Amino acid sequence: MVTSSAPGKVYLFGEHAVVYGEPAVPCAIGLRAQAAVERRTGGLRVRAGDLSLDGFAVEYNGGTSTPEVDVPENLLDAAMGYVNGAIDQAREAARTRGVAAEERSFEVTVDSNIPLGAGLGSSAAVVVATIDAAARELGVQLPREELADRAYRVEHTVQDGGASRADTFCATMGGAVRIEGDDCETLATPDLPLVVGYDGGAGDTGELVAQVRGLRETHPFVADTVSAVGDLVRRGERALAADDRETLGELMDINHGLLSSLGVSARSLDAMVWAARDGGAHGAKLTGAGGGGCIVALGDPAELERALSYAPACDDAFHAQLDTDGLRREDE
Ligand code: MEV
């Protein structure tokens, strides 16, 4: 059995706009998804020890089946789609290297402490860890660039063409990264004091990306909001390089306002953003696709955790430390 893991992430800036070619800066954090893969006979079997949903196991023999668990079906379908897509990518990577992988079946056990669909990159972490572990089970060590690219292809398919390279590149490389279209690079970054507030809910990334696309089509001037996000990300990169926390916070606040105008915030996310600001944050914004899930705030971790813990909208708040490893091969 081989085991790989990959981190979740928060967006300092740029989610949604990155889908339209604007730059974005996500940053890997110390929550992880782990995939353990071993060969078996008789089809793909996926077990989720803890996917931040009740444990489930599902078996495939080419067709589809829906496990009987009490979670929204769209989240479950997406989770299964990600694991299936990851196994296909591992098989293809093996095939292109002359390893006959078509008939190989696997048991995949996924454990993750990244809440599902909450804007912390759970799906990207699961996909990166699963592709890497399944490829290694087939005897293939993928270079990180190829792994990130294959993981992106899975997200792109599951999210109906609405995914950027941001989440998957960040989960593979770790640290802070910069994405603009197909250009992906790692950034030297200070270990910023970031706190995550989680409302206990989730959003459907595919649906939220489609919603923004619809808004842009109905009101062409919405394209200006998207390009304003790009401008603030470029300013944010300079503030990040200078470790200028006042400016970073100000830009996070503006980014939240722009995301809100794109219709992807929620009452609970706004309430947590305000609780963090009232608690002395330099700035705060929703992170990821939105609709529900998490916010990220910059400032004193103990004070922000306390401020968020008093907010009725907040289910959990924690200090999110920078992860610099990205993909980890746990058995090496
Ligand atoms: C989701 O974590 C971030 C989005 O920008 C979609 C993407 O970049 O794939 C909303």
Side-chain angles (χ1 to χ4, degrees):
M1 177 159 63
V2 290
T3 305
S4 300
S5 74
K9 57 106 223 337
V10 292
Y11 273 87
L12 289 180
F13 315 109
E15 56 273 86
H16 282 289
V18 69
V19 173
Y20 301 94
E22 298 294 346
V25 179
C27 175
I29 60 169
L31 296 178
R32 282 197 165 250
Q34 175 173 294
V37 176
E38 63 186 327
R39 296 203 200 168
R40 72 186 292 263
T41 48
L44 172 64
R45 181 174 166 82
V46 181
R47 287 174 176 280
D50 179 5
L51 256 185
S52 292
L53 38 89
D54 296 337
F56 72 88
V58 59
E59 223 164 299
Y60 289 94
N61 280 303
T64 54
S65 62
T66 309
E68 285 179 21
V69 287
D70 184 21
V71 287
E73 212 171 298
N74 56 350
L75 276 186
L76 195 61
D77 284 351
M80 298 318 302
Y82 288 121
V83 176
N84 267 331
I87 294 292
D88 286 346
Q89 283 296 329
R91 285 195 179 117
E92 190 189 287
R95 216 171 30 245
T96 60
R97 288 163 170 86
V99 178
E102 228 33 88
E103 70 288 359
R104 305 277 171 76
S105 296
F106 303 96
E107 172 148 324
V108 183
T109 304
V110 179
D111 283 285
S112 171
N113 58 8
I114 311 169
L116 205 67
L120 298 181
S122 56
S123 58
V126 168
V127 170
V128 167
T130 306
I131 296 176
D132 188 72
R136 288 194 299 126
E137 183 66 24
L138 291 167
V140 172
Q141 296 255 359
L142 293 177
R144 284 189 186 227
E145 285 69 21
E146 181 179 344
L147 177 60
D149 181 58
R150 290 191 177 277
Y152 160 67
R153 288 191 235 165
V154 175
E155 287 227 316
H156 195 260
T157 305
V158 178
Q159 290 173 24
D160 281 336
S164 73
R165 293 181 179 272
D167 291 19
T168 39
F169 187 75
C170 188
T172 308
M173 302 297 174
V177 302
R178 179 190 198 275
I179 309 299
E180 186 168 4
D182 287 339
D183 294 335
C184 305
E185 58 179 304
T186 54
L187 295 178
T189 185
D191 188 359
L192 295 170
L194 297 174
V195 170
V196 167
Y198 173 40
D199 69 4
D204 182 318
T205 301
E207 262 174 32
L208 287 150
V209 168
Q211 194 182 303
V212 172
R213 191 184 302 127
L215 201 66
R216 223 168 152 263
E217 279 163 14
T218 311
H219 306 293
F221 59 82
V222 166
D224 296 342
T225 304
V226 170
S227 66
V229 173
D231 290 340
L232 87 79
V233 178
R234 283 180 277 271
R235 178 68 191 89
E237 284 171 59
R238 295 204 300 279
L240 194 61
D243 198 5
D244 174 355
R245 296 184 185 180
E246 283 308 316
T247 304
L248 284 171
E250 209 167 88
L251 294 169
M252 287 168 78
D253 285 342
I254 298 171
N255 201 164
H256 182 75
L258 294 174
L259 286 164
S260 205
S261 77
L262 293 175
V264 298
S265 192
R267 201 181 291 269
S268 56
L269 299 177
D270 290 342
M272 290 191 291
V273 159
W274 277 107
R277 289 174 184 161
D278 290 345
H282 296 296
K285 61 181 279 295
L286 71 85
T287 177
C294 292
I295 64 128
V296 57
L298 177 67
D300 182 85
E303 276 176 28
L304 294 185
E305 276 180 52
R306 192 167 41 247
L308 281 163
S309 71
Y310 290 132
C314 183
D315 216 45
D316 194 14
F318 56 91
H319 179 191
Q321 249 139 356
L322 182 72
D323 169 272
T324 51
D325 289 350
L327 171 81
R328 252 194 243 148
R329 292 174 174 151
E330 300 289 352
D331 45 286
E332 284 185 349

